[in-house]
Amino acid sequence: MKTIKFTFLGTGTAMGVPEIGCNCDICQSDAPKDKRLRSSLWVQYGDLSILIDTSPDLRYQCLRENIPHIDSVFITHLHADHIFGLDDLRRYNILHRKSINLYLPYDMEARFRQIYDYTLKPAPKGITVPNLNLNLVDRTPLFFEDLKVTPLPIMHGEDEIRGYLFETPEFRFAYMTDCKEIPDETAELVKDVDVMVLGTIWRNYKNHIKHFDVDEAIEAAQKLSAKKLYLTHFSHFIGKHKDFEKTLSEEFNGWVVPAYDGMCIEA
Ligand SMILES: [Zn+2]
Ligand SMILES: [Zn+2]
Ligand SMILES: [Zn+2]
């Protein structure tokens, strides 16, 4: 049996933790789990190496995790905290002399080209730029041998963005950051998953227009009978990791776990 491994490269919201210039207890904490880079995920399955999103911290994340190569990158949406590290991919083009497959939701192409058109064209002579091979995705699942990846429409406020469902013959894992509502068609696809990852920013603030708060995320995962829930995309308002983990573990007996940078899930 081939194992699949998911590594949280970052678990912070758009401003990361610590926030610049903040003197709160959380931002001043020395605990490594209170340092949160911007959210993204690394998936390894056999030799296959996939990123979900390219956060502004991508360069450091690749160095920290010693990521040797990247075959494919899946994009959830085009907010700065999810894509502004994409230029760092060029290092892998240089190392391996081949292009990287970019999987982009089809409705995001025009906007993507406004920012990153240069990554889809041959590099000007004497200049290095990322070299990406654009694949537009709709709702059709993609197959990488026996790994199935299904794009999941989710609502990030009024914007429809994507999560991704990874399925091996033995394991189902759904990654949905930046979410305020899971539409019915996506709910059908992720029902009973082994692991659900949902983004939240904080607890006890339900009226954010674009993000679940912790209890909304928990309620959504309960409704879909997720076997285990990991939370990500936190701001400093979540408190210290150690305290938050303890509270959740007392309330839910290990069913809900806050992720931290570098955390791995293997199956
Ligand atoms: Zn702070
Ligand atoms: Zn976003
Ligand atoms: Zn975000």
Side-chain angles (χ1 to χ4, degrees):
M1 193 183 100
K2 238 195 303 187
T3 50
I4 188 158
K5 184 173 174 183
F6 301 89
T7 305
F8 289 89
L9 297 177
T11 57
T13 192
M15 285 183 276
V17 182
E19 289 192 2
I20 296 169
C22 184
N23 294 318
C24 81
D25 274 5
I26 295 95
C27 290
Q28 295 299 317
S29 163
D30 289 332
K33 290 179 185 174
D34 289 327
K35 314 261 180 238
R36 300 186 188 276
L37 300 177
R38 271 62 69 86
S39 293
S40 67
L41 189 78
W42 178 30
V43 185
Q44 294 164 270
Y45 187 56
D47 283 339
L48 191 66
S49 171
I50 297 176
L51 286 186
I52 307 189
D53 291 333
T54 55
S55 92
D57 299 311
L58 182 65
R59 175 179 166 278
Y60 177 68
Q61 291 165 333
C62 291
L63 290 168
R64 187 192 72 205
E65 298 299 332
N66 205 10
I67 297 180
H69 69 280
I70 293 167
D71 301 298
S72 299
V73 176
F74 283 79
I75 300 293
T76 62
H77 66 306
L78 302 180
H79 282 163
D81 56 324
H82 293 261
I83 60 157
F84 275 12
L86 185 120
D87 197 77
D88 293 330
L89 292 174
R90 74 167 90 170
R91 191 61 200 129
Y92 291 102
N93 295 126
I94 295 167
L95 276 175
H96 302 295
R97 294 165 190 253
K98 58 174 189 174
S99 58
I100 294 169
N101 282 309
L102 178 75
Y103 292 90
L104 180 73
Y106 70 94
D107 48 325
M108 298 178 195
E109 183 186 3
R111 179 94 179 92
F112 181 85
R113 283 185 182 277
Q114 285 176 350
I115 313 166
Y116 282 128
D117 205 38
Y118 72 94
T119 67
L120 304 174
K121 291 176 169 166
K125 213 172 166 35
I127 303 286
T128 57
V129 295
N131 177 233
L132 306 178
N133 174 27
L134 178 64
N135 301 271
L136 295 176
V137 301
D138 51 24
R139 284 157 200 214
T140 316
L142 298 140
F143 289 88
F144 301 83
E145 296 177 11
D146 62 354
L147 173 67
K148 180 179 176 188
V149 185
T150 308
L152 304 169
I154 53 175
M155 296 311 293
H156 183 21
E158 288 180 352
D159 303 325
E160 184 183 287
I161 68 159
R162 304 304 189 281
Y164 292 98
L165 173 65
F166 290 84
E167 292 173 285
T168 70
E170 291 90 18
F171 192 70
R172 298 171 67 231
F173 177 103
Y175 184 77
M176 299 184 277
T177 60
D178 295 46
C179 184
K180 183 69 181 179
E181 190 193 328
I182 301 174
D184 291 345
E185 55 174 317
T186 295
E188 281 295 307
L189 293 168
V190 299
K191 218 171 168 354
D192 305 319
V193 279
D194 296 297
V195 166
M196 182 176 288
V197 181
L198 290 175
T200 68
I201 297 190
W202 42 39
R203 200 164 197 187
N204 302 324
Y205 187 81
K206 293 198 173 148
N207 39 8
H208 194 293
I209 55 167
K210 284 181 181 285
H211 294 273
F212 281 143
D213 97 325
V214 166
D215 296 293
E216 287 174 321
I218 288 170
E219 200 179 303
Q222 277 169 336
K223 219 164 106 186
L224 297 171
S225 318
K227 292 181 190 143
K228 188 141 181 169
L229 172 64
Y230 289 78
L231 300 175
T232 185
H233 207 284
F234 299 124
S235 79
H236 59 172
F237 292 123
I238 213 68
K240 291 193 180 167
H241 183 89
K242 184 167 59 73
D243 303 333
F244 184 46
E245 188 180 45
K246 187 162 176 275
T247 309
L248 287 182
S249 127
E250 282 166 7
E251 279 180 59
F252 297 97
N253 202 18
W255 174 70
V256 191
V257 178
Y260 55 84
D261 287 24
M263 183 187 215
C264 296
I265 298 170
E266 258 185 277

